[in-house]
């Protein structure tokens, strides 16, 4: 199984992080992608990837932290991305639910990071909350830089919007939220072909049913894969294999590293 989006650097994993990573084979975890949010998490994410075979990393700044983006952060992004296990720019995008950074700053930083991703020949992982219209505006304005793949992390938009993005070749990751009783995500998921789907946990957040109320961890991605298999009317192993193919197609640096 693959967890395409998590945060092993989070303090909630202090004291158990190394054991969790060591236990990946016991829980059938092929590999995970640790996503960055700010400067400390970006550095730690890169370190974890360099030191652990089954961990890959991203570089980038979350929209919450966009107000801290500067030329020094950009330089470090580019430097860290030279490592073969840094596989994407993310998580980047817009978050209008909390508005922790001013909206115009979010948009400017988002647009700039799309340009950087293109220069690095890396796909982008998007964080979007209550901002699908403006996100589409930024993507449209920057479409000349979208040459290496787009992944919508923890997709929360409509089936109609997803259908538009499918036509552009985008991918979509789903996590524990799709297991919630009131999620009603089946129609949204079915709006996408299974060839565009990835599994994630967003650990330590968004713990799936039946473990709600506990700290999420990458082992729980099995509940997400199972739910996706149910929605598509297939079995667990077929869904697992499809997700692996999708992930290796979207993240060519992972495919190259595993081949070596």
């Amino acid at each position: 199984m693959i967890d395409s989006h998590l945060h092993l650097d989070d303090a909630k994993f202090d004291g158990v992080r190394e054991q969790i990573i060591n236990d990946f084979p016991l829980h059938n975890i092929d590999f995970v992608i640790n996503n960055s949010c700010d400067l400390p998490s970006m550095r730690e994410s890169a370190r974890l990837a360099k030191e652990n075979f089954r961990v890959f990393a991203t570089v980038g700044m979350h929209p919450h932290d966009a107000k801290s983006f500067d030329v020094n952060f950009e330089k470090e992004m580019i430097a860290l991305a030279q490592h073969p296990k840094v596989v994407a720019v993310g998580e980047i995008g817009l978050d209008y639910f909390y508005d922790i950074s001013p909206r115009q700053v979010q948009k400017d930083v988002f647009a700039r990071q799309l340009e950087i991703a293109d220069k690095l020949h890396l796909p982008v992982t998007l964080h979007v909350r209550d901002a699908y219209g403006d996100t589409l505006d930024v993507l449209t304005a920057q479409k000349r830089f979208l040459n290496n793949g787009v992944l919508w992390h923890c997709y929360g938009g409509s089936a109609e919007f997803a259908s538009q993005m499918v036509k552009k070749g985008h991918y979509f990751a789903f996590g524990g939220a799709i297991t919630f009783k009131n999620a009603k995500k089946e129609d949204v998921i079915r709006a996408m072909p299974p060839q565009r789907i990835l599994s994630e946990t967003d650990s330590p957040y968004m713990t799936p049913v039946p473990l709600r109320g506990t700290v999420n961890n990458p082992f729980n991605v099995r509940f997400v894969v199972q739910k996706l298999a149910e929605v598509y009317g297939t079995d667990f192993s077929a869904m697992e294999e499809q997700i692996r193919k999708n992930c290796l197609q979207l993240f060519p640096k992972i495919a190259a590293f595993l081949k070596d």
Side-chain angles (χ1 to χ4, degrees):
M1 295 178 291
I2 294 165
D3 187 347
S4 67
H5 191 113
L6 79 170
H7 302 278
L8 284 169
D9 56 283
D10 193 281
K12 288 185 174 66
F13 288 123
D14 289 353
V16 297
R17 184 178 298 107
E18 187 172 317
Q19 188 61 54
I20 287 174
I21 294 172
N22 289 340
D23 285 348
F24 281 172
L26 297 178
H27 293 266
N28 196 31
I29 302 296
D30 293 330
F31 58 84
V32 303
I33 303 175
N34 205 75
N35 273 251
S36 300
C37 295
D38 55 16
L39 187 57
S41 69
M42 185 169 70
R43 290 170 174 168
E44 181 65 6
S45 185
R47 184 192 71 79
L48 287 169
K50 291 173 184 177
E51 296 180 1
N52 298 281
F53 178 80
R54 295 175 185 264
V55 179
F56 293 87
T58 72
V59 292
M61 183 168 279
H62 193 287
H64 287 344
D65 300 284
K67 58 184 180 291
S68 300
F69 189 89
D70 59 19
V71 66
N72 291 322
F73 182 88
E74 182 175 313
K75 288 179 179 178
E76 188 149 359
M77 270 184 75
I78 294 170
L80 289 172
Q82 306 312 308
H83 194 276
K85 295 193 74 186
V86 174
V87 300
V89 169
E91 58 186 286
I92 65 174
L94 304 176
D95 192 311
Y96 290 176
F97 183 80
Y98 289 108
D99 279 327
I100 293 176
S101 284
R103 293 185 178 186
Q104 189 57 53
V105 173
Q106 291 187 47
K107 289 189 283 187
D108 291 345
V109 170
F110 179 27
R112 178 57 185 155
Q113 291 186 99
L114 292 174
E115 295 181 27
I116 295 170
D118 189 49
K119 290 180 180 179
L120 294 171
H121 306 292
L122 292 177
V124 294
T125 297
L126 305 185
H127 170 105
V128 180
R129 190 168 184 186
D130 290 1
Y132 284 90
D134 278 4
T135 298
L136 181 57
D137 288 345
V138 174
L139 293 176
T140 300
Q142 299 290 85
K143 63 181 180 181
R144 66 191 183 281
F145 300 115
L146 304 179
N147 300 305
N148 303 286
V150 176
L151 172 63
W152 296 77
H153 145 65
C154 197
Y155 180 71
S158 67
E160 293 75 18
F161 188 89
S163 296
Q164 294 179 48
M165 298 305 103
V166 165
K167 293 175 182 176
K168 298 177 184 293
H170 295 188
Y171 291 76
F172 306 83
F174 290 96
I178 65 171
T179 69
F180 301 169
K181 289 183 179 179
N182 61 348
K184 298 180 180 179
K185 293 287 187 182
E186 287 82 358
D187 289 343
V188 174
I189 295 170
R190 292 192 192 100
M192 314 162 189
Q195 292 81 10
R196 294 291 169 182
I197 297 292
L198 273 68
S199 52
E200 63 169 60
T201 63
D202 204 15
S203 301
Y205 315 104
M206 302 295 288
T207 308
V209 173
L211 300 174
R212 295 289 288 156
T214 65
V215 174
N216 201 7
N217 72 60
F219 309 152
N220 296 334
V221 74
R222 67 185 186 276
F223 297 110
V224 177
V225 176
Q226 183 59 51
K227 181 63 176 181
L228 290 169
E230 292 172 5
V231 173
Y232 283 114
T234 188
D235 61 38
F236 186 96
S237 60
M239 192 73 240
E240 182 183 16
E241 180 58 27
Q242 183 64 64
I243 290 170
R244 180 181 176 84
K245 289 180 180 178
N246 299 347
C247 199
L248 296 181
Q249 183 172 358
L250 177 60
F251 300 106
K253 286 181 74 173
I254 295 180
F257 181 85
L258 295 178
K259 187 179 296 184
D260 292 341

